[in-house]
Amino acid sequence: MSKFWSKTVKELTPYKPGEQIQAKNLIKLNTNESPYGPSPMALEAIRSASDDALRLYPPPNSDLLKASIAQTYQVQANQVFVGNGSDEVLAHIFLGLFKQAHPILFPDITYTFYPVYCSLYEIAYQQIPLNQDFHIQIDDYLAIPNNGGIIFPNPNAPTGLITPLSEIRRLLEVNTQSVVVIDEAYVDFGCESSVQLVNQYPNLIVTHSFSKSRALAGLRVGYAIANADLIEGLERVKNSFNSYPLGRLAQAGATAAVLDTEHLNATIQKIQHTRQQLIADLSSLGFNTLASEANFVFTTHATLQAEFIYAELRKRDILIRYFNLPRINNYLRITVGTDAECAQLIVALKEILN
Amino acid sequence: MSKFWSKTVKELTPYKPGEQIQAKNLIKLNTNESPYGPSPMALEAIRSASDDALRLYPPPNSDLLKASIAQTYQVQANQVFVGNGSDEVLAHIFLGLFKQAHPILFPDITYTFYPVYCSLYEIAYQQIPLNQDFHIQIDDYLAIPNNGGIIFPNPNAPTGLITPLSEIRRLLEVNTQSVVVIDEAYVDFGCESSVQLVNQYPNLIVTHSFSKSRALAGLRVGYAIANADLIEGLERVKNSFNSYPLGRLAQAGATAAVLDTEHLNATIQKIQHTRQQLIADLSSLGFNTLASEANFVFTTHATLQAEFIYAELRKRDILIRYFNLPRINNYLRITVGTDAECAQLIVALKEILN
């Protein structure tokens, strides 16, 4: 603690991401990356842009990338906001739209970065408990009409459970006075997107990531889709923070990646197939796994403690995620890897259970 | 203006960067990019990293890059902070170190992003006038001991004038109770760096950019060097905003670039040589140019209005920067391009003056 830190810094408890260990032979199932590479078209676009032109600033408004995203989701380019990963997009949303008179609302079990943004920008929040089955109950949110905003992931993390589009629509029909953010980082793996609702509800923002289904976590690109007025608010924050958040290579790679629907669909199909097998295999070992629509599963064992299993897997160079948090401290989050990686995980779990 | 915007957004006046026009045959002397390409080693490192590994998150703490910067400047790795361009580094400094009880101080003529950060984070500030010759007067800052921090570029922008290291030392000897930031985006072109002072003054932060002398504006990397305690404060802000601000390609390119001192020195020499010629040529046309130690010059003409010259050059596809601001609205900022670009500029100016 330094006397030169601002009060904000002194009171922060920063977010802790999953470990990024560089060791060889590690089976890395802890940060929900894709086990398959990005679109070859994205890699080619990056290679083409890796030249002397890097001496020049990138287009500050990422116009080509926004146009490609708009085309993909059939919205207007001024309905698209892009940022340096969806974490940056979320940060700007918190400062630009969630800093309000009333507390914002999000689930008690969800992406643990949300309360960190609140502490960074001094935003009051109220956590709404998931029900006993770990589902989001829309009525609990509707019960607090004086809120400064609502945010939850769909599917939720780390549960992997979805909130049906009909329920999100029901929320938006009633909650019209504050912004609703649906964080769709994992939407492509089996959940219906709320993007189709943005033209009906001027207070809806949907955020997406290139780090999961598009397999470009190393490039750092995320985006939001909403009514043009909300996007303009985010642009004002962005242009008061960093004129050029996306470099030339990030813009080139993401522009190509978002247009490669074929590669996206092939990736999703492989992951869905492996996920089904993984859940079945875990079940045969005495695990109870939630009905995930994400590229990870959230699971608990009938007899063995989650923390013990996590530690034992680590000894065997298999990295998964364990959250020592209320209600979920006997659960494990496991990224859906390749078939081979998941098979090795099952072998290791058998060993630990014996 | 939307009812959903936060008060912060409603009151913002975002920063406006120089135009990034993509047209061919344009002579682009408006945003102080290097006319020469980046280090070939940086390009090679980027190409090597442009592969399937992009599916994985980058190292969140950019350890290799920090080690390379630390080695270059002979400091410890925990004295180095890195960000998505020096604009992001500055933004985190404003929130993390400048949000204090007293107003911060910066020159009236300087980088116009500083007041924008203040408005984003609700930080009070006081602008200290440059003297008649556009120099920073350290005594004016020492006259306000109750300040929340001090920031100025060295060399200053858009003047290109330097504040001698002895004067910065004099400031630091007396101003010990608030953070002093020396923004050295342009330092490599002829100014002595204050990095050598960071181990003596625990309240000093020096910020640098890869966008100017390193010719990597399109990659988006900046850094700060300071006492480890100040760096830790910035890390707390960064880890509450975005765990992974630098992608794999940015880390790879910048790590290689910072070690290529030979390429840096060759670039600097060429630009210094061209700058000298440009100032002489401008002088022969009736311009009065400040003694720039940056990769741009700041100049005014004896008879013709700056705004007129700017507009006439634009018609001829030569882009320079004009700021319609008090005290400098008869000045032009011109990036030092290649010899050929500067020669074409002089030809065009002769035409305009005739």
Side-chain angles (χ1 to χ4, degrees):
Chain A
M1 185 88 59
S2 157
K3 70 170 177 178
F4 296 116
W5 295 0
S6 69
K7 183 170 158 284
T8 306
V9 170
K10 286 177 182 159
E11 290 171 0
L12 281 175
T13 306
Y15 176 76
K16 283 207 179 72
E19 292 173 281
Q20 296 295 342
I21 296 177
Q22 306 292 318
K24 300 264 176 199
N25 302 322
L26 194 78
I27 299 183
K28 194 171 178 307
L29 304 174
N30 70 326
T31 50
N32 300 339
E33 289 135 333
S34 170
Y36 308 106
S39 158
M41 290 196 247
L43 294 180
E44 183 46 42
I46 291 166
R47 273 190 288 268
S48 304
S50 303
D51 62 9
D52 274 7
L54 281 175
R55 74 182 179 83
L56 298 171
Y57 281 100
N61 296 317
S62 304
D63 291 320
L64 274 180
L65 173 55
K66 285 180 183 170
S68 297
I69 293 170
Q71 181 189 325
T72 302
Y73 291 94
Q74 301 187 297
V75 294
Q76 302 299 310
N78 66 359
Q79 294 183 269
V80 180
F81 180 76
V82 297
N84 186 28
S86 68
D87 283 344
E88 180 178 89
V89 173
L90 289 170
H92 290 338
I93 288 174
F94 273 72
L95 180 56
L97 305 170
F98 276 174
K99 201 171 159 72
Q100 304 289 355
H102 299 292
I104 67 162
L105 313 178
F106 51 80
D108 63 338
I109 298 169
T110 193
Y111 187 29
T112 52
F113 219 133
Y114 299 158
V116 178
Y117 295 129
C118 287
S119 121
L120 185 66
Y121 297 128
E122 298 172 32
I123 296 166
Y125 64 90
Q126 184 176 342
Q127 288 175 301
I128 310 295
L130 299 180
N131 76 3
Q132 235 184 312
D133 300 331
F134 289 155
H135 282 97
I136 289 169
Q137 300 293 101
I138 292 300
D139 285 332
D140 298 342
Y141 294 81
L142 293 178
I144 308 172
N146 287 329
N147 65 73
I150 295 170
I151 182 168
F152 56 82
N154 199 27
N156 194 14
T159 65
L161 297 175
I162 65 166
T163 303
L165 208 62
S166 56
E167 284 292 283
I168 291 173
R169 199 189 288 271
R170 194 160 70 84
L171 173 66
L172 290 161
E173 282 296 326
V174 179
N175 190 91
T176 58
Q177 298 307 304
S178 74
V179 170
V180 174
V181 180
I182 309 296
D183 176 349
E184 294 191 343
Y186 299 103
V187 75
D188 290 333
F189 300 104
C191 176
E192 212 176 351
S193 174
S194 295
V195 168
Q196 60 192 281
L197 304 180
V198 296
N199 286 330
Q200 283 169 68
Y201 301 101
N203 58 329
L204 170 64
I205 300 201
V206 181
T207 60
H208 278 205
S209 168
F210 277 87
S211 302
K212 313 297 181 184
S213 56
R214 305 279 181 183
L216 283 167
L219 198 63
R220 314 308 303 124
V221 187
Y223 54 104
I225 298 177
N227 182 288
D229 281 348
L230 293 188
I231 296 302
E232 192 193 332
L234 297 181
E235 296 290 354
R236 290 170 67 92
V237 175
K238 172 257 179 190
N239 286 318
S240 303
F241 176 82
N242 189 352
S243 306
Y244 309 98
L246 293 190
R248 289 181 170 267
L249 306 178
Q251 290 189 36
T255 302
V258 80
L259 296 175
D260 192 350
T261 309
E262 199 177 325
H263 183 268
L264 174 71
N265 290 337
T267 299
I268 293 168
Q269 272 175 30
K270 281 188 279 189
I271 289 172
Q272 286 175 334
H273 183 267
T274 308
R275 181 175 69 200
Q276 199 175 0
Q277 184 64 48
L278 176 62
I279 292 175
D281 289 348
L282 286 170
S283 174
S284 72
L285 296 181
F287 283 92
N288 184 17
T289 306
L290 301 189
S292 169
E293 296 293 351
N295 70 337
F296 56 82
V297 298
F298 202 51
T299 192
T300 185
H301 193 261
T303 55
L304 272 193
Q305 286 296 308
E307 193 165 12
F308 172 77
I309 298 171
Y310 164 79
E312 286 295 315
L313 284 173
R314 243 205 117 156
K315 286 184 199 162
R316 290 164 176 83
D317 288 332
I318 300 178
L319 216 55
I320 63 172
R321 195 92 194 260
Y322 170 71
F323 298 92
N324 193 2
L325 294 173
R327 297 186 73 188
I328 58 169
N329 60 4
N330 202 24
Y331 280 79
L332 296 166
R333 195 193 71 184
I334 305 171
T335 304
V336 178
T338 61
D339 285 333
E341 287 171 330
C342 290
Q344 284 180 272
L345 169 77
I346 294 299
V347 167
L349 285 173
K350 279 182 184 160
E351 208 179 284
I352 294 165
L353 290 162
N354 278 334
Chain B
M1 185 88 58
S2 156
K3 70 170 178 179
F4 296 115
W5 294 0
S6 68
K7 182 171 157 285
T8 305
V9 170
K10 286 177 183 159
E11 290 170 2
L12 281 175
T13 307
Y15 176 76
K16 284 208 179 73
E19 293 174 280
Q20 294 297 342
I21 296 176
Q22 306 292 316
K24 299 264 176 201
N25 302 321
L26 194 79
I27 298 184
K28 193 171 179 307
L29 303 175
N30 70 326
T31 50
N32 300 339
E33 289 135 333
S34 171
Y36 307 107
S39 157
M41 290 197 249
L43 294 180
E44 183 47 40
I46 290 167
R47 273 189 288 268
S48 304
S50 302
D51 63 7
D52 275 6
L54 281 175
R55 73 182 178 85
L56 297 172
Y57 280 99
N61 297 317
S62 305
D63 291 320
L64 274 180
L65 173 56
K66 285 179 183 170
S68 296
I69 293 170
Q71 181 188 324
T72 302
Y73 292 93
Q74 301 187 297
V75 295
Q76 302 298 310
N78 65 0
Q79 293 183 268
V80 179
F81 180 76
V82 297
N84 185 30
S86 69
D87 283 344
E88 181 178 89
V89 173
L90 289 170
H92 290 338
I93 287 173
F94 273 71
L95 180 56
L97 304 169
F98 276 175
K99 201 171 160 72
Q100 304 289 354
H102 298 291
I104 68 162
L105 313 178
F106 50 81
D108 62 337
I109 299 168
T110 193
Y111 187 30
T112 52
F113 218 132
Y114 299 159
V116 178
Y117 295 130
C118 288
S119 125
L120 185 66
Y121 298 129
E122 298 173 31
I123 296 166
Y125 63 90
Q126 185 177 342
Q127 288 174 302
I128 310 296
L130 300 181
N131 75 3
Q132 236 184 312
D133 301 329
F134 289 156
H135 282 98
I136 289 169
Q137 299 293 99
I138 292 300
D139 285 333
D140 298 342
Y141 293 81
L142 293 178
I144 308 172
N146 286 329
N147 65 72
I150 295 169
I151 182 168
F152 56 82
N154 199 27
N156 194 13
T159 66
L161 297 175
I162 65 165
T163 303
L165 209 62
S166 57
E167 283 294 281
I168 291 172
R169 200 189 289 271
R170 194 161 69 84
L171 173 66
L172 289 162
E173 281 296 326
V174 179
N175 189 90
T176 57
Q177 299 306 304
S178 74
V179 170
V180 174
V181 180
I182 309 297
D183 176 348
E184 294 192 343
Y186 299 103
V187 77
D188 291 332
F189 300 104
C191 177
E192 211 177 352
S193 174
S194 295
V195 168
Q196 61 192 280
L197 304 179
V198 296
N199 286 331
Q200 282 169 69
Y201 302 101
N203 59 329
L204 170 64
I205 300 201
V206 181
T207 60
H208 278 205
S209 169
F210 277 87
S211 302
K212 312 297 181 184
S213 57
R214 305 279 180 183
L216 283 168
L219 198 63
R220 315 308 304 123
V221 187
Y223 53 105
I225 297 178
N227 183 289
D229 282 347
L230 292 188
I231 297 300
E232 192 193 331
L234 298 180
E235 295 290 354
R236 290 170 67 92
V237 176
K238 172 257 179 190
N239 286 318
S240 303
F241 176 83
N242 189 352
S243 306
Y244 309 97
L246 292 190
R248 289 181 170 267
L249 306 178
Q251 290 188 37
T255 302
V258 81
L259 296 175
D260 192 350
T261 308
E262 200 178 324
H263 183 268
L264 174 71
N265 290 337
T267 298
I268 293 167
Q269 273 177 29
K270 282 187 279 189
I271 288 172
Q272 285 175 334
H273 183 267
T274 309
R275 181 176 68 200
Q276 200 175 357
Q277 185 64 47
L278 175 62
I279 292 174
D281 289 347
L282 286 170
S283 174
S284 71
L285 297 181
F287 283 91
N288 184 18
T289 307
L290 301 188
S292 171
E293 296 292 352
N295 69 337
F296 56 83
V297 298
F298 203 52
T299 192
T300 184
H301 193 260
T303 56
L304 272 194
Q305 286 296 307
E307 193 166 12
F308 172 77
I309 299 171
Y310 164 79
E312 286 295 315
L313 284 173
R314 239 204 120 158
K315 286 182 199 162
R316 291 163 177 83
D317 287 332
I318 299 178
L319 217 55
I320 63 171
R321 195 92 194 259
Y322 170 71
F323 299 93
N324 192 2
L325 294 173
R327 296 185 74 188
I328 57 169
N329 59 5
N330 202 23
Y331 279 79
L332 297 166
R333 195 193 70 184
I334 305 172
T335 303
V336 179
T338 60
D339 285 334
E341 288 171 330
C342 291
Q344 285 180 272
L345 168 78
I346 295 298
V347 168
L349 285 173
K350 279 181 184 160
E351 208 179 285
I352 294 165
L353 290 163
N354 278 333

